[in-house]
């Protein structure tokens, strides 16, 4: 097969030119990074799990009318997505205090917030994705006021959907990050949920035990990341047919 054109390589995913104009192939790598890639490891099977979990969440969002970039899963590590212009913001929704919010505001991790809180970070690795306000976003033209209204409404709908799906399998959605892209239908612009939704970009705690089932397991050296993500996939009923089993031969896609 001819070598595909690589469009972009990020820390956990690579984007290749898709088979048709306006499409991309999103390849999920096994790389795990934290603290702006200061910490890095390759965790066998992570890409397979995130591909399948992101497919599951994006399909579910589509079913409740939240537009996403997802078109279809191609194989164990790749999905076909609509090409879009990523708005340079990380949109974070928090239901319970944790991570950088707990540090910044001195609130104990796990404290329930009075209502979901939405934060914006400017996507710039060199700057460490700094927290920004809507004033910055408007002044620097990263998104219009209309975009911001739409982004807030999308973020809260994703939060309600994800919270409900997780609650049903005994998992608390503490917080998560999404990215939003613009797609153009002729002159008409629409915003869609893009990138990925996976345990890499959420905080997921077992409701009964508080056990962490997300990338904090890697960030904080709490055990096996594959075991944590496998548990999420198992509870949601989306375990891949060839589950990544450390030490066993892996199918190469
Ligand atoms: P934070 O508490 O470190 O700001 O993280 C908030 C949420 O955003 C958490 O669910 C993890 C996710 N996140 C990412 O997806 N990518 C990142 O680069 C960071 C820092 C956090």
């Amino acid at each position: 097969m001819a070598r595909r054109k690589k469009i972009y390589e990020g820390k956990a995913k690579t984007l290749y030119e898709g088979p048709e104009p306006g499409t991309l192939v999103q390849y999920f790598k096994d790389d795990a990074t934290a603290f702006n890639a200061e910490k890095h490891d390759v965790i066998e099977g992570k890409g397979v799990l995130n591909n399948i979990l992101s497919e599951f969440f994006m399909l579910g969002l589509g079913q409740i009318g939240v537009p996403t970039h997802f078109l279809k899963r191609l194989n164990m590590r790749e999905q076909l997505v609509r090409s879009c212009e990523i708005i340079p913001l990380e949109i974070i929704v928090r239901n319970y205090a944790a991570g950088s919010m707990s540090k910044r505001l001195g609130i104990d991790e796990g404290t329930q917030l009075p209502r979901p809180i939405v934060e914006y970070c400017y996507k710039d690795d060199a700057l460490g994705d700094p927290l920004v306000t809507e004033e910055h976003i408007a002044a620097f033209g990263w998104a219009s006021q209309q975009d911001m209204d739409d982004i807030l409404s999308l973020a809260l709908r994703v939060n309600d959907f994800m919270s409900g799906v997780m609650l049903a399998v005994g998992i608390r959605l503490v917080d998560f990050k999404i990215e939003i892209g613009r797609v153009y239908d002729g002159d008409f612009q629409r915003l869609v949920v893009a990138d990925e939704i996976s345990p890499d970009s959420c905080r997921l705690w077992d409701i009964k035990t508080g056990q962490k089932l997300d990338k904090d397991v890697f960030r904080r050296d709490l055990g096996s990341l594959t075991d944590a993500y496998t548990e999420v996939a198992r509870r949601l009923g989306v375990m891949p047919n060839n589950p990544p089993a450390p030490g066993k031969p892996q199918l190469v896609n």
Side-chain angles (χ1 to χ4, degrees):
M1 196 176 92
R3 236 180 118 72
R4 291 177 304 185
K5 187 172 166 202
K6 193 191 281 187
I7 305 288
Y8 176 81
E9 178 151 8
K11 287 177 284 211
K13 297 184 297 299
T14 306
L15 293 173
Y16 296 96
E17 196 169 56
E20 286 162 37
T23 65
L24 293 172
V25 173
Q26 180 165 269
Y27 176 96
F28 287 75
K29 303 194 282 186
D30 279 341
D31 298 65
T33 65
F35 317 118
N36 211 1
E38 262 174 45
K39 180 173 169 138
H40 173 255
D41 206 350
V42 175
I43 294 171
E44 203 180 346
K46 180 177 86 90
V48 171
L49 288 158
N50 280 353
N51 184 26
I52 281 165
L53 284 163
S54 199
E55 172 195 26
F56 175 77
F57 298 129
M58 296 282 182
L59 278 177
L61 285 168
Q63 276 164 9
I64 62 157
V66 173
T68 79
H69 74 158
F70 182 84
L71 293 170
K72 70 171 179 178
R73 186 162 64 81
L74 298 171
N75 54 49
M76 295 295 268
R77 286 192 180 269
E78 296 177 321
Q79 46 184 247
L80 187 68
V81 300
R82 275 193 76 163
S83 149
C84 53
E85 202 179 281
I86 294 286
I87 294 180
L89 296 173
E90 299 207 331
I91 294 117
I92 295 169
V93 184
R94 301 181 186 271
N95 300 304
Y96 295 81
S100 69
M101 180 194 232
S102 286
K103 266 206 191 113
R104 205 183 325 120
L105 301 178
I107 307 174
D108 285 345
E109 287 210 315
T111 307
Q112 186 165 20
L113 300 170
R115 60 178 200 197
I117 293 180
V118 182
E119 296 175 344
Y120 306 99
C121 292
Y122 179 53
K123 251 175 86 67
D124 186 322
D125 280 343
L127 299 175
D129 300 336
L131 188 68
V132 292
T133 68
E134 291 194 54
E135 280 289 291
H136 298 100
I137 297 167
F140 296 121
W142 297 324
S144 68
Q145 190 53 56
Q146 178 64 58
D147 288 340
M148 290 312 292
D149 293 347
D150 293 347
I151 288 172
L152 179 63
S153 137
L154 282 173
L156 293 175
R157 291 191 71 194
V158 173
N159 187 42
D160 284 348
F161 171 78
M162 292 291 295
S163 294
V165 166
M166 289 303 176
L167 189 62
V169 295
I171 294 174
R172 168 165 301 151
L173 179 67
V174 172
D175 58 27
F176 65 94
K177 182 265 302 188
I178 51 170
E179 297 188 19
I180 302 285
R182 300 176 204 280
V183 295
Y184 295 93
D185 292 319
D187 284 344
F188 191 66
Q189 175 209 286
R190 284 191 305 129
L191 297 185
V192 298
V193 177
D195 190 54
E196 74 182 288
I197 302 180
S198 74
D200 266 13
S201 53
C202 301
R203 283 200 173 89
L204 305 170
W205 296 358
D206 180 86
I207 284 179
K208 283 209 191 105
T209 65
Q211 188 193 354
K212 294 185 191 346
L213 299 170
D214 58 66
K215 204 164 96 176
D216 273 348
V217 171
F218 168 72
R219 294 189 189 98
R220 304 179 187 190
D221 296 317
L222 299 175
S224 160
L225 195 71
T226 326
D227 285 357
Y229 289 19
T230 299
E231 177 62 12
V232 176
R234 191 192 60 75
R235 288 198 201 182
L236 293 169
V238 295
M239 267 306 286
N241 291 332
N242 296 303
K248 291 200 186 139
Q250 298 287 309
L251 279 183
V252 178
N253 288 310

